[in-house]
Structures are given as C-alpha cells and as structure tokens.
C-alpha cells in the first residue's frame, strides 16, 4: 500500500482526491492547507489528520507520495522540500512561477532519488495520444505548421475569490500560466522544441481587477522548421473548446474536443475523446486520473517520470519569453 498526502486543498485538489479514491493500492494518510476552515472540511471528509505546515506533515507522517495543489508560487519550494526528503511528488502545473524557481526544482529533481511528475494531464487524452502516434509513425509526412486557440471566460469574481490568481508575485502570470499553458505544452510536445518565439501578452477585459494578462498571442519557430501560431483570451463569452490544428503533408489533424483527421485523399477519420463529468470545470480535461495512476505504477521504475521538471520547463520558458517581450519594465516581477 502506497501512502499519500495532499498539500493544498483548493479547487484542483478535487480531481486528485477523486483519482486516489479509485486506486486500490494508494491510501490517503494526511492533508495540508493554511486555511483553517478548508482544512477542517477536508479532514472531516476523508478522516485523516490535517496540518497547517507541510514540514510538520512530512516529518510526522512520512508519506510515500505528496500531491501539491497549491498556488503557483508554492509549487517549486514545496516540491523541493519533498524531494530533499526522498518523498515522491505530483505537482500541479505550472512547474514554478519563475524561471529561477523552475531551474532550482529541476536541479533538486536531479539530486533526489524520489520521482516527480508535473500535471500536464492533457498529454494523456485519447486525442493527444493519437496525434503523437501519427506524428511518430511518419506516414503523414512532415509537419508544415500548427495553430492553437484558447477562447475561455473568466469573470472578476473568479479572481476576487482567489486573489493570488491575478498577481505576478503568487500566480506568476495570468492566461498563459494558469489556463493556456496546457495548450502551449501540447504545441511544443507535438510539433517539437521551440527555437524562437515572438508574441504579446496584454490585459483587455479585466484591467483594474488583475495585474496579469487575460489575452496573449505568439508565433513560434520550432527546431524542425515548422511554425505554430497561438491566440488565447479570457474575454470570450464562454469556455469554448480548445482548438489545435497540425497541418502535415498528407493530412490535417484538427482537435475540437474530438480529433478529426482529414487525409489528402479526401477521407476523414474521427477519434473520440473520453468524456468525464466534472461539472463546470470540464475544461480541465479528462486525464488527471490517467496521469496519476501512471505515476504510481512507475514508482519502481529507475527512469525519471516522462513529464518531469525538465520537460515541464519547456512550456514555462515559452510563457516567460512572451512576458519578457511584453513587460520589459517588470522583468524582476514576471521572471
């Protein structure tokens, strides 16, 4: 039986608790949160001890795995504390709220015998896996280019409810760090490492509510020679499906929830995505549980987990480069 604990019991922790409830080989033994009211609710719900300080939890409980579901600025230092004690970690995205914190966590992972995963769960989607396989098989020729959009909605109340989300100091960014980084990750994972990126982030609809961006666009040149373009905003009327198109020599792959493959010979194939009822937060994707179960299954594997800090750092660098170009006067705050 693998013992596990959750640090940070806010919104996204619900999918981690839900995944753990389906796993017969994992046992929740403790939770941690700095909000006394939230901690009381969670300890009562799961019948486990609660801690306000993560170091107390690590010392007294010594779990095998810790899930980190805190605000962004706590991801890297909490994960490093776990790794230094030989505790395996699943940390929510992003890797860190600054590049420097990200570098430190990459180094900590390299020193530790423990494993660490970063939650880019959309790589486990059936559609993402199908796209990756088609690209790897090579039968569709070279990638000519790609495009992606994230057209979502966030209100002022969303940020007032959790003020850290709208700040550089604790959120590390807005749309690009908190919502669109999943799509940025898919672009670079599918099309290839990014050699150069130029773009712009700005605040179009939530000025006066947040100090970070709610809208962004960029053009990326990949090492393969392909080019991808991205546009995202939180000013849309609804949370529309993420789009991701990859144009290849012999087909176009179009993601709109399901994946449509339009072949050069005129034939069309549709690959359905799994459906998971997650209420108003269905935009989180359907694959947290798959990532978590895969991580636990590979705890005995000597190789690093495949979505590790070094891998997760690729999307963080893209986002931070856009910020550097957009907010040079705030370089100390956005880095």
């Amino acid at each position: 039986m693998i013992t596990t604990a959750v640090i940070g019991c806010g919104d996204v922790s619900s999918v981690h608790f839900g995944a753990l409830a389906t796993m017969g080989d994992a046992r929740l033994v403790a939770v941690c949160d700095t909000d006394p009211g939230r901690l009381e609710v969670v300890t009562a719900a799961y019948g486990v001890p609660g801690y306000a300080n993560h170091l107390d939890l690590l010392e007294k409980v010594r779990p095998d795995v810790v899930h980190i579901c805190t605000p962004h600025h706590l991801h890297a230092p909490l994960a490093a504390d776990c790794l230094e004690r030989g505790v395996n970690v699943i940390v929510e995205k992003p890797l860190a709220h600054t590049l420097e914190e990200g570098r430190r966590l990459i180094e900590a992972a390299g020193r530790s015998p423990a494993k660490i995963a970063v939650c880019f769960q959309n790589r486990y989607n059936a559609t993402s896996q199908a796209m990756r396989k088609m690209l790897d098989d090579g039968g569709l020729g070279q990638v000519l280019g790609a495009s992606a959009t994230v057209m979502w909605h966030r209100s002022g109340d969303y940020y007032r409810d959790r003020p850290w989300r709208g700040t550089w100091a604790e959120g590390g960014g807005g749309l690009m760090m908190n919502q669109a980084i999943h799509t940025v990750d898919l672009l670079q994972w599918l099309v290839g490492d990014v050699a150069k990126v130029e773009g712009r982030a700005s605040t179009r609809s939530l000025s006066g509510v947040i100090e970070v961006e709610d809208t962004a666009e960029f053009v990326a040149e990949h090492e393969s020679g392909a080019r991808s373009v991205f546009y995202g905003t939180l000013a849309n009327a609804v949370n529309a499906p993420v789009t991701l198109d990859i144009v290849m020599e012999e087909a176009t792959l179009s993601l709109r929830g399901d994946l449509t493959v339009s072949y050069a010979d005129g034939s069309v194939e549709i690959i359905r995505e799994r459906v998971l009822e997650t209420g108003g937060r269905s935009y989180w994707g359907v694959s947290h549980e798959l990532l978590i179960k895969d991580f636990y299954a590979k705890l005995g594997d000597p190789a690093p987990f495949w979505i590790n800090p070094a891998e997760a750092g690729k999307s963080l660098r893209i986002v931070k480069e856009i910020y550097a170009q957009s907010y040079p006067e705030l370089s100390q705050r956005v880095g």
Side-chain angles (χ1 to χ4, degrees), residues 46-231:
Y46 294 101
V48 296
Y51 296 84
N53 185 295
H54 73 284
L55 294 177
D56 289 341
L57 184 155
L58 293 174
E59 178 182 347
K60 296 175 181 178
V61 180
R62 300 184 181 276
D64 299 314
V65 180
V66 162
H67 296 237
I68 296 175
C69 305
T70 63
H72 298 167
H73 70 297
L74 298 174
H75 286 185
L78 292 181
D81 283 346
C82 292
L83 292 172
E84 287 169 4
R85 289 160 175 80
V87 177
N88 302 290
V89 180
I90 299 177
V91 61
E92 270 295 332
K93 59 75 193 166
L95 172 69
H97 77 309
T98 68
L99 286 174
E100 179 58 31
E101 290 280 6
R103 281 191 288 267
R104 290 176 187 170
L105 185 52
I106 291 170
E107 291 171 359
R111 294 191 300 266
S112 176
K115 283 185 176 294
I116 177 170
V118 184
C119 283
F120 283 113
Q121 72 277 357
N122 290 340
R123 293 192 187 191
Y124 283 81
N125 291 356
T127 49
S128 302
Q129 289 290 312
M131 295 170 84
R132 180 73 267 169
K133 186 175 187 303
M134 291 176 186
L135 289 160
D136 290 343
D137 286 349
L140 299 179
Q142 295 296 312
V143 174
L144 303 179
S147 62
T149 67
V150 177
M151 304 284 286
W152 286 0
H153 174 80
R154 293 294 183 274
S155 67
D157 287 342
Y158 169 84
Y159 291 96
R160 284 185 282 268
D161 183 52
R162 299 283 192 275
W164 67 267
R165 293 168 172 160
T167 67
W168 292 114
E170 297 187 352
L175 160 80
M176 293 293 287
M177 283 285 277
N178 203 18
Q179 288 88 23
I181 196 166
H182 283 294
T183 306
V184 174
D185 175 69
L186 285 181
L187 267 179
Q188 67 83 27
W189 178 55
L190 293 168
V191 183
D193 288 348
V194 170
K196 178 183 178 183
V197 62
E198 293 187 11
R200 177 76 177 175
S202 59
T203 310
R204 302 293 179 86
S205 66
L206 290 165
S207 297
V209 179
I210 61 176
E211 63 183 30
V212 295
E213 88 289 356
D214 59 29
T215 301
E217 52 81 20
F218 67 75
V219 176
E221 304 290 342
H222 297 262
E223 291 183 358
S224 65
R227 175 183 296 155
S228 62
V229 297
F230 168 88
Y231 178 79

Side-chain angles (χ1 to χ4, degrees), residues 255-323:
L255 179 66
R256 307 284 189 282
D258 295 331
L259 174 64
T260 300
V261 184
S262 302
Y263 294 96
D265 64 6
S267 61
V268 175
E269 177 185 6
I270 297 179
I271 297 168
R272 303 293 182 185
E273 187 52 83
R274 297 180 303 276
V275 176
L276 178 68
E277 294 297 331
T278 55
R281 296 192 174 93
S282 59
Y283 47 77
W284 276 344
V286 299
S287 298
H288 259 101
E289 184 176 319
L290 292 179
L291 184 152
I292 291 168
K293 287 183 174 179
D294 192 29
F295 180 77
Y296 277 73
K298 292 177 178 173
L299 285 176
D301 188 334
F305 190 70
W306 72 291
I307 312 178
N308 52 58
E311 183 67 18
K314 296 177 181 180
S315 56
L316 182 64
R317 285 192 294 273
I318 294 169
V319 170
K320 290 300 184 178
E321 178 58 28
I322 300 303
Y323 290 164

